[in-house]
Amino acid sequence: MDIKRAYRFRFYPTSEQITVLAQTFGCARFIYNHMLRLRSDAWMKRHEHISYHETSAALTIMKKMPDYTWLNEVSSVPLQQSLRHLQTAFGNFFAKRSSYPTFKCKDGNQSATYTDSAFQWNGKTLKLAKMKETLNIIFSRTLPKAAKVTTVTVSKDTAGRYFVNFLCDDAVSVKVPVNNQIGIDLGLTHFAILSNGEKIASPNVLRQNETKLVRLQRRLSRKQKGSCNRAKAKWKIARLHAKIADTRKDFLHKLSSRLIDENQVIAMESLAVSNMQKNHCLARSISDAGWGEFVRMLAYKAQWYGRTLVQIDRWYPSSKRCSDCGHIVSKMPLNIREWTCPECGSIHDRDVNAARNVLTAGLAELVCGENVSPVLL
């Protein structure tokens, strides 16, 4: 199967490369913000639609103006790619996949994208346009020899770390079919409860570092704005947030890969995570769990490796239904973690029973295509 795959590595630039990257990041950010303002004003004031081609022509004119000659000091490719990213952002907005595009901030994550005409890659070293030396990349793994690098994205996060992403045309092979199926019930006390009875503990990365994060944020609030000490305090907070995000992503990747390797069919509920986060009592815990990212990882890995991911209706009464006889109780408060079926007398662990029902419903939907959301009386 032919896919687009990104490989991410950390690199350590020289002082000269830091200067070039800072200029490139700034110019790419300026073009994105400038054209976003141009397109927004054109619509709000004159109801005029400005396309990508018109912004590209406007960029060419800008680079010839005396006030914007500094745009010529960096490679033109990242500037052109900023316009493409803006066009993609508007496309996602009109397709109702995201909110309206927002302006980029110089204190946030910075990035610049280079196409094959603006970098040199020989399989071992990478050299970007406007740079004299190759990047000092720490390769944690080797890129496949058959993979063709199409674009390179250089980024800098708020913790001051530099990364390079290789987007490649790659091919993956389907994994050997297995006879296992699994149902997953996501939770907060345990991250995931499987239909085979296994309970996977939640990493709670944010909760574990919450005390340290609060202490650093209080120190930041006492620093004078614009001072070097305030900049150091912000960097410490950013570094802690980066550690939290990396730990969470590592956990989600390992768990999703394990489930894909061991099971042919994976069933789970289709959760509306954004709506669930409106509950202010649970919003932080839900965000810390990373349910949405976990489902995204399972979806693309299942597509890559020939597995099947089934998401049943979110209103299916998986917790109220007896997995042995199918009886549905009228109420099941959250404080009840174990219950006995009044019909057949089976004793159920609430979460394990829900996972088994999710698997049964997922297989029924997969095989029969039936509606697995019965109407409750």
Side-chain angles (χ1 to χ4, degrees):
M1 178 180 178
D2 295 332
I3 62 170
K4 288 280 190 180
R5 172 179 283 180
Y7 294 87
R8 185 170 183 251
F9 306 100
R10 189 172 179 180
F11 73 96
Y12 297 87
T14 63
S15 57
E16 180 182 356
Q17 290 173 342
I18 290 177
T19 302
V20 175
L21 289 174
Q23 292 175 337
T24 306
F25 292 152
C27 292
R29 183 181 65 250
F30 170 79
I31 290 300
Y32 185 95
N33 292 341
H34 181 83
M35 295 305 174
L36 173 58
R37 172 56 62 193
L38 183 68
R39 296 180 65 159
S40 300
D41 290 345
W43 176 256
M44 297 297 294
K45 296 179 180 179
R46 303 184 298 275
H47 287 278
E48 177 184 352
H49 174 70
I50 296 181
S51 65
Y52 159 77
H53 298 286
E54 291 172 303
T55 57
S56 179
L59 174 60
T60 303
I61 297 174
M62 283 180 60
K63 296 174 71 173
K64 296 179 181 179
M65 300 172 61
D67 294 340
Y68 300 105
T69 54
W70 44 272
L71 291 174
N72 298 297
E73 297 177 2
V74 301
S75 174
S76 61
V77 174
L79 307 185
Q80 202 68 33
Q81 291 300 112
S82 293
L83 300 181
R84 296 185 182 275
H85 295 331
L86 179 60
Q87 180 64 26
T88 301
F90 272 106
N92 292 332
F93 167 71
F94 290 123
K96 297 182 179 181
R97 290 190 294 265
S98 64
S99 58
Y100 193 82
T102 57
F103 295 102
K104 295 183 179 295
C105 177
K106 66 178 181 180
D107 294 329
N109 295 329
Q110 308 297 317
S111 65
T113 302
Y114 297 79
T115 58
D116 54 1
S117 62
F119 67 86
Q120 297 177 3
W121 168 251
N122 60 6
K124 295 182 179 180
T125 60
L126 175 67
K127 183 179 180 181
L128 302 178
K130 300 290 184 178
M131 291 188 183
K132 299 179 181 179
E133 301 178 1
T134 59
L135 297 181
N136 180 22
I137 304 175
I138 307 301
F139 289 98
S140 56
R141 55 179 173 170
T142 58
L143 271 68
K145 295 182 179 179
K148 179 184 177 182
V149 180
T150 57
T151 60
V152 169
T153 300
V154 182
S155 61
K156 177 186 177 183
D157 63 7
T158 53
R161 303 179 301 175
Y162 289 87
F163 297 93
V164 56
N165 285 51
F166 296 89
L167 183 61
C168 307
D169 291 328
D170 201 0
V172 294
S173 57
V174 176
K175 291 183 178 293
V176 178
V178 293
N179 294 324
N180 296 334
Q181 300 94 21
I182 204 72
I184 305 175
D185 180 58
L186 298 178
L188 295 178
T189 305
H190 294 87
F191 177 81
I193 299 89
L194 308 184
S195 56
N196 58 9
E198 180 183 358
K199 295 185 177 181
I200 301 172
S202 179
N204 293 326
V205 190
L206 179 60
R207 293 292 185 184
Q208 292 179 3
N209 294 273
E210 193 171 19
T211 302
K212 183 177 180 180
L213 183 61
V214 169
R215 184 172 66 251
L216 292 177
Q217 289 174 336
R218 286 177 178 173
R219 291 178 182 176
L220 175 65
S221 65
R222 293 193 291 265
K223 299 295 187 293
Q224 183 178 358
K225 292 185 177 180
S227 65
C228 294
N229 287 334
R230 184 178 177 84
K232 291 179 182 178
K234 289 181 64 176
W235 173 76
K236 289 181 180 180
I237 294 175
R239 189 172 62 173
L240 181 58
H241 275 298
K243 177 184 176 181
I244 293 172
D246 290 345
T247 305
R248 182 187 298 116
K249 186 177 294 185
D250 179 72
F251 167 79
L252 297 178
H253 268 300
K254 288 179 179 178
L255 178 58
S256 60
S257 296
R258 191 198 110 190
L259 293 175
I260 290 294
D261 290 339
E262 296 176 352
N263 303 280
Q264 186 66 32
V265 178
I266 300 174
M268 61 191 313
E269 293 178 326
S270 56
L271 301 176
V273 179
S274 58
N275 292 338
M276 297 174 67
Q277 288 178 336
K278 295 179 182 179
N279 184 339
H280 298 293
C281 298
L282 300 176
R284 179 173 295 184
S285 298
I286 293 174
S287 300
D288 190 18
W291 290 343
E293 181 66 12
F294 178 66
V295 174
R296 188 190 71 85
M297 289 180 180
L298 282 178
Y300 78 76
K301 290 179 182 180
Q303 183 180 8
W304 283 4
Y305 301 116
R307 304 308 198 207
T308 303
L309 176 65
V310 184
Q311 291 184 272
I312 68 171
D313 195 302
R314 71 188 64 167
W315 303 113
Y316 180 74
S318 58
S319 298
K320 301 178 182 180
R321 188 186 186 101
C322 175
S323 58
D324 291 334
C325 67
H327 176 74
I328 301 177
V329 297
S330 58
K331 293 182 180 181
M332 184 65 64
L334 288 175
N335 61 336
I336 298 179
R337 311 313 302 175
E338 188 175 288
W339 60 283
T340 302
C341 177
E343 188 71 19
C344 65
S346 299
I347 301 176
H348 297 293
D349 180 283
R350 177 195 181 101
D351 298 325
V352 176
N353 176 71
R356 291 173 180 170
N357 285 326
V358 168
L359 176 60
T360 303
L363 293 176
E365 183 175 350
L366 181 64
V367 176
C368 305
E370 65 180 57
N371 184 5
V372 294
S373 296
V375 178
L376 300 180
L377 300 179

